[in-house]
Amino acid sequence: MKSEKLIIETPEKILFSYNIAEIGARTAAYLLDSLFQLLILIAFFLFGGLSLFSSDAFDKDQLLFYLAIIYILLFLFQWGYFVLFETVMNGKTPGKKICHLRVIRFDGDRLDFQSLVIRNLLRAADSIPFPYFNFLGGLITIINKQNRRLGDLAAGTIVVSDSLFQLKEPYFKTDLKNSEGKLFSRPDEKSRLSEKDLYILRRLINERSTMSNDSELRTAKLIVEKLKKKYDLSHVENKNDFDIIEEIYKAHTYENQK
Amino acid sequence: MKTRSERFVEQKRSDWKKLLSILTCISQKGSQKLTEEEVEEFPRLYRKTCQDLAEARMLELSPDVLDYLNNMTGQAHHYLYFMRPLTKGDLKNFFSSYLPGVIVRNYKYVLFALLLFWGSTIATYNAVLQSPQLAESFLSSSVLHYVEEMYSDSVADGRTTGERAQMSAFYIQHNTSIAFLCFATGIFLGLGSIYFLIYNGVFLGTIVAYLTSVGLGPHIWEFITAHSFLELNAIAIAGAAGIKLGVSILQSWRNYSPDFLQDSKGEILALVGASSIMLFLAAMIEGNISPSTLDYKYKVIIFLISTLVVLLYFIVLPLFQRRKNDADS
């Protein structure tokens, strides 16, 4: 079983969770980063090549010297790209930023440089047995419960999805148009619906106009049947399912004064 | 007309809004753009939101409220505990005392790796020298023919600067990749590193013995002498880092620790760093001096100097520092 959440306990003894990044998003980020590496390299080739060929003193020796720089760049790119960006961008690379991913310490500690270097050096072990193809690394990431790569396991890091972009403020506005508030009075503490149930009712009310598909309506009907049983409303026949939901929801709300 | 969750949100939302605007500012413009007031407020707002999250959980409020607070806390935690930036002092300390001492501090791992690598090299060398047909069982005949071709002439002379630079660059890339592989496969409880140390030793021993047996011995010695000490021992040190990686993981299992490396991270990276620096120097020699027509005795001198420098920096300097520290305290 894959686990979707990573629970972190802060020094303040507060628990909160991060959504663990999915393999699809990580693959996309990796491909994007590879693309960026390639583009920067091509840009260098073009820029360097043009300036070489345009100069009069072009010779074979200069070309080889130029190849030497390309080799070194290739090498620096292969090993430095991820460490550099993850350090500067606090756990992100350009590809990760686009895919809303981020590297964090799995214990919630501050990210440190050493962890980042270790996690990226171990990319060498990912590409076994074929060079430049992350066969073993991919396999282990897929098997791992938390989608952690070999480098993540060694360095104590994990990739999570960045949640600021999905931060939605709770939405409470409900349009209770058909309820009269007469069906039944406010339930006592024991028979109250939980806030979680009310959340579901709220969503049903707000989405009633857009509900068209059968399975959605059937779910709504099931919920209403359960509610009817709970509140002994079997005698109510001539009312629409959603009207009953509205009545029950309304009975759970409080007036502003208290 | 409000549910409990809604009333809770209404009471507290002004602080959340402030925190959210700080987070948005950091993520979009960077933390330098925060006002002084915001910087002061940030930790307080974070703690407040933590409390609200705990309270909301206790009251079993609506899941969207819990999600919202959870994500906000996670984000605030992330930006509050930002990565510690590296300073110049870190760098200086690393090169002056941390890095030179790493071989001495981890002498068990380094000796073990050296033994594996040089043991398999010498054993293979002697075996192949005695019965040259063994070479074909270690390496494919195409590799052997290729190597024989490569060393059929004495070192080529008249290389241009460009050619030398290109060779150095190639060796940096090629040899460091071998060393990194030798290190990284140590994650398999050290077994990968042990395998690659032996593999590289067998490879080296076979080739030198094979070339000697076909009468090209002087050619290969002439080529490898100058850079051999740096390059070959660097591979062994990378292997030592890999073995330490594997052993640290085993130790973490024994301590039931989910964090595999804990305190050994710095030591392991310093070993890899030592290996990389030696490989860089080796590549410079291998590209410029080894293939040159310089008299053999100068290549031997370079070999001796590089050996001496490594021994001074990695063995003598740390022992000296240690004695000085002992005397001070």
Side-chain angles (χ1 to χ4, degrees):
Chain A
M1 256 313 272
K2 290 268 184 189
S3 45
E4 290 174 355
K5 304 243 177 212
L6 173 76
I7 312 256
I8 302 264
E9 189 178 350
T10 70
E12 295 86 1
K13 296 285 163 210
I14 299 289
L15 295 174
F16 62 88
S17 62
Y18 281 118
N19 289 328
I20 292 170
E22 285 164 16
I23 291 186
R26 292 190 60 175
T27 311
Y30 180 73
L31 290 177
L32 279 172
D33 281 325
S34 306
L35 184 71
F36 293 147
Q37 282 175 295
L38 192 70
L39 286 179
I40 296 172
L41 214 64
I42 287 173
F44 185 88
F45 259 110
L46 286 179
F47 184 74
L50 284 179
S51 60
L52 254 185
F53 285 110
S54 59
S55 70
D56 298 334
F58 174 76
D59 60 19
K60 184 168 167 272
D61 199 37
Q62 221 170 345
L63 187 72
L64 285 172
F65 201 82
Y66 172 62
L67 269 178
I69 298 170
I70 297 282
Y71 258 132
I72 304 252
L73 269 188
L74 239 170
F75 175 74
L76 287 179
F77 260 74
Q78 196 182 349
W79 297 104
Y81 176 90
F82 287 96
V83 176
L84 176 77
F85 280 112
E86 283 173 9
T87 307
V88 176
M89 295 169 74
N90 199 26
K92 288 184 193 176
T93 57
K96 285 196 180 74
K97 191 173 171 124
I98 292 172
C99 299
H100 301 291
L101 301 178
R102 187 189 327 119
V103 181
I104 60 165
R105 292 269 320 160
F106 82 111
D107 49 14
D109 272 359
R110 209 180 273 273
L111 205 56
D112 57 311
F113 186 67
Q114 293 178 350
S115 298
L116 288 180
V117 178
I118 293 252
R119 96 177 273 283
N120 287 307
L121 267 182
L122 283 190
R123 285 179 196 276
D126 279 344
S127 53
I128 289 176
F130 318 108
Y132 300 108
F133 179 65
N134 295 347
F135 179 76
L136 188 69
L139 200 68
I140 286 172
T141 315
I142 290 168
I143 293 170
N144 186 273
K145 259 188 198 171
Q146 301 177 312
N147 297 346
R148 288 169 79 187
R149 204 162 54 73
L150 279 175
D152 287 322
L153 292 169
T157 54
I158 184 168
V159 180
V160 295
S161 76
D162 191 57
S163 50
L164 196 60
F165 80 104
Q166 55 196 2
L167 211 58
K168 262 187 271 163
E169 209 192 337
Y171 181 75
F172 288 104
K173 219 170 154 198
T174 43
D175 187 15
L176 303 175
K177 49 188 169 209
N178 300 323
S179 66
E180 295 149 339
K182 284 179 187 159
L183 196 59
F184 66 98
S185 54
R186 177 172 333 160
D188 56 25
E189 279 302 314
K190 260 187 199 163
S191 61
R192 268 185 71 86
L193 290 175
S194 72
E195 288 292 312
K196 190 177 172 187
D197 294 337
L198 289 175
Y199 166 71
I200 294 168
L201 295 192
R202 189 160 60 242
R203 289 195 57 178
L204 280 173
I205 296 166
N206 286 336
E207 286 163 25
R208 67 183 289 184
S209 56
T210 57
M211 264 189 213
S212 52
N213 123 10
D214 267 357
S215 72
E216 282 175 345
L217 289 172
R218 227 175 308 141
T219 313
K221 196 160 200 76
L222 264 172
I223 291 172
V224 171
E225 263 162 34
K226 274 198 161 173
L227 287 172
K228 272 184 170 177
K229 222 180 202 170
K230 181 175 166 80
Y231 291 117
D232 212 10
L233 296 172
S234 49
H235 58 280
V236 183
E237 291 290 344
N238 56 346
K239 266 196 174 286
N240 180 306
D241 284 344
F242 283 101
D243 292 347
I244 294 174
I245 290 177
E246 285 189 14
E247 293 282 359
I248 293 171
Y249 185 83
K250 193 170 181 184
H252 281 83
T253 59
Y254 298 80
E255 293 301 331
N256 262 344
Q257 61 265 27
K258 171 79 187 144
Chain B
M1 307 268 273
K2 287 163 184 130
T3 63
R4 282 176 184 174
S5 302
E6 191 172 4
R7 290 198 299 174
F8 182 83
V9 172
E10 267 192 2
Q11 272 174 27
K12 325 247 177 187
R13 72 188 302 180
S14 65
D15 277 348
W16 303 347
K17 286 263 172 206
K18 269 190 230 160
L19 184 59
L20 186 62
S21 79
I22 291 177
L23 292 177
T24 319
C25 177
I26 298 178
S27 78
Q28 284 169 3
K29 298 175 206 152
S31 54
Q32 299 88 340
K33 291 276 152 96
L34 291 176
T35 63
E36 225 166 272
E37 190 188 348
E38 281 174 326
V39 173
E40 266 172 39
E41 281 262 79
F42 189 17
R44 184 191 71 80
L45 289 171
Y46 166 68
R47 279 193 296 275
K48 177 76 186 359
T49 312
C50 281
Q51 282 166 17
D52 292 343
L53 173 61
E55 196 182 338
R57 278 215 190 99
M58 204 181 64
L59 294 171
E60 292 178 336
L61 294 184
S62 177
D64 50 348
V65 178
L66 296 181
D67 263 7
Y68 180 72
L69 286 173
N70 180 70
N71 288 349
M72 184 109 86
T73 317
Q75 285 289 323
H77 172 264
H78 171 67
Y79 287 116
L80 202 59
Y81 294 92
F82 213 84
M83 213 175 124
R84 194 176 71 87
L86 292 171
T87 61
K88 261 187 198 161
D90 290 339
L91 217 63
K92 203 184 145 203
N93 191 30
F94 181 75
F95 282 107
S96 68
S97 76
Y98 196 70
L99 182 66
V102 74
I103 305 277
V104 173
R105 284 197 302 274
N106 299 287
Y107 72 97
K108 281 180 196 157
Y109 298 101
V110 175
L111 282 181
F112 182 60
L114 285 172
L115 197 73
L116 279 178
F117 177 70
W118 286 113
S120 56
T121 306
I122 292 166
T124 318
Y125 177 78
N126 285 329
V128 174
L129 212 54
Q130 264 168 20
S131 39
Q133 73 278 10
L134 263 178
E136 302 225 4
S137 57
F138 289 131
L139 294 173
S140 72
S141 52
S142 62
V143 172
L144 291 175
H145 282 304
Y146 174 73
V147 174
E148 199 178 334
E149 188 89 349
M150 222 167 79
Y151 288 98
S152 58
D153 292 324
S154 179
V155 283
D157 52 343
R159 278 173 203 274
T160 62
T161 351
E163 281 171 326
R164 286 192 209 138
Q166 196 227 346
M167 283 181 71
S168 294
F170 169 75
Y171 289 129
I172 290 177
Q173 200 255 348
H174 179 254
N175 295 341
T176 314
S177 299
I178 291 177
F180 282 177
L181 187 66
C182 202
F183 157 67
T185 49
I187 182 131
F188 308 114
L189 308 183
L191 296 177
S193 300
I194 292 172
Y195 169 78
F196 278 108
L197 280 172
I198 295 174
Y199 173 86
N200 285 323
V202 168
F203 192 90
L204 176 69
T206 307
I207 284 180
V208 176
Y210 175 76
L211 289 177
T212 309
S213 72
V214 295
L216 294 173
H219 289 183
I220 186 153
W221 284 113
E222 195 178 356
F223 180 70
I224 64 174
T225 299
H227 62 264
S228 58
F229 183 86
L230 287 173
E231 183 176 296
L232 300 174
N233 290 313
I235 299 280
I237 291 172
I243 294 169
K244 187 172 169 83
L245 175 70
V247 171
S248 303
I249 291 173
L250 283 174
Q251 279 169 349
S252 79
W253 287 355
R254 208 179 54 192
N255 303 335
Y256 302 104
S257 163
D259 193 359
F260 284 172
L261 299 185
Q262 293 165 309
D263 304 333
S264 46
K265 240 181 240 160
E267 293 287 301
I268 289 169
L269 283 179
L271 281 171
V272 177
S275 164
S276 305
I277 291 170
M278 285 167 69
L279 282 175
F280 178 80
L281 295 174
M284 289 295 146
I285 298 173
E286 191 173 3
N288 293 301
I289 294 164
S290 301
S292 75
T293 47
L294 219 61
D295 200 73
Y296 187 64
K297 71 173 179 247
Y298 292 111
K299 292 184 179 174
V300 174
I301 289 175
I302 299 224
F303 166 85
L304 290 175
I305 291 174
S306 60
T307 307
L308 194 70
V309 169
V310 168
L311 292 180
L312 278 178
Y313 185 71
F314 285 115
I315 314 282
V316 179
L317 177 67
L319 289 178
F320 176 73
Q321 279 174 343
R322 186 179 287 184
R323 251 183 75 180
K324 204 177 146 209
N325 283 349
D326 288 347
D328 286 351
S329 59

